[in-house]
């Protein structure tokens, strides 16, 4: 049921706490000079279930990159804010915000009921890394390279390096070699 269960108001407001079908009765009493008549009308109110909006999982991107969002729960979708989105009316827009942004999606189901959910697109700060200073060695010699700023390293070519996947490999190339860091 809802509240109120009865009312003498001409336009009562009833709040239903659960979805379902509810029987209602409208009783109108008309009073004329010394004459009263009553009209009763029965009806049914259907209260639909609120949709479950799901904006998808939070995601992280690098500056200038993008990610596809993936909402569900409705038949129409509306995203906000629009900044950084390829389309605000689809369930799966491409998001490429300039800075970390919380997007809200509002979904509407077949019954016109609405719900919303949020997803955060985190934009990581621009990575500043260095391959270190140039190193000069004599033939047959070796020296340590000194990279910094990354979480993972990939030196190419790997020939002449003690380990191409660490920040500070020992370089012992057979000839002049330029190593690149990715």
């Amino acid at each position: 049921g809802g509240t109120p269960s009865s009312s003498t108001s001409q336009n009562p407001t009833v709040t239903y706490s659960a979805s379902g079908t509810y029987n209602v009765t409208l009783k109108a009493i008309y009073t004329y000079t010394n004459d009263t008549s009553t009209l009763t009308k029965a009806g049914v109110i259907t209260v639909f279930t609120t949709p479950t909006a799901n904006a998808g999982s939070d995601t992280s991107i690098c500056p200038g990159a993008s990610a596809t969002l993936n909402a569900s729960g409705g038949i129409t979708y509306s995203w906000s804010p629009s900044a950084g989105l390829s389309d605000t009316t689809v369930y799966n827009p491409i998001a490429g915000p300039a800075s970390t942004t919380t997007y809200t999606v509002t979904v509407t189901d077949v019954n016109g009921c609405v719900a919303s959910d949020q997803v955060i697109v985190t934009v990581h700060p621009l990575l500043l890394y260095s391959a270190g200073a140039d190193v000069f060695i004599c033939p047959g010699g070796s020296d340590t390279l000194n990279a910094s700023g990354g979480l993972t390293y990939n030196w190419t070519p790997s020939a002449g390096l003690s380990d191409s996947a660490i920040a500070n490999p020992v370089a012992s190339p057979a000839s002049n070699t330029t190593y690149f860091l990715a």
Side-chain angles (χ1 to χ4, degrees):
T3 338
S5 58
S6 67
S7 173
T8 58
S9 171
Q10 182 176 353
N11 298 304
T13 299
V14 179
T15 302
Y16 294 90
S17 58
S19 61
T21 303
Y22 298 90
N23 294 318
V24 294
T25 303
L26 171 65
K27 185 177 191 180
I29 302 172
Y30 300 97
T31 303
Y32 302 102
T33 309
N34 297 328
D35 186 23
T36 301
S37 49
T38 302
L39 173 65
T40 302
K41 179 77 174 170
V44 174
I45 293 177
T46 301
V47 178
F48 299 112
T49 301
T50 302
T52 301
N54 184 346
S57 300
D58 292 346
T59 189
S60 299
I61 60 173
C62 293
S66 61
T68 301
L69 303 182
N70 193 10
S72 62
I75 60 168
T76 64
Y77 299 85
S78 177
W79 291 90
S80 66
S82 61
L85 293 180
S86 62
D87 190 333
T88 60
T89 62
V90 296
Y91 75 95
N92 61 344
I94 296 171
S99 61
T100 297
T101 303
T102 300
Y103 289 106
T104 301
V105 64
T106 300
V107 303
T108 305
D109 69 7
V110 295
N111 301 310
C113 299
V114 298
S116 61
D117 192 28
Q118 295 182 326
V119 63
I120 300 170
V121 178
T122 301
V123 180
H124 293 293
L126 189 59
L127 180 62
L128 299 175
Y129 66 94
S130 170
D134 290 348
V135 174
F136 300 95
I137 57 175
C138 296
S142 65
D143 203 346
T144 302
L145 303 181
N146 291 299
S148 62
L151 296 175
T152 61
Y153 299 89
N154 182 26
W155 293 93
T156 56
S158 61
L161 295 179
S162 62
D163 187 339
S164 63
I166 63 173
N168 307 103
V170 174
S172 305
S175 61
N176 287 346
T177 304
T178 300
Y179 290 105
F180 296 94
L181 178 62

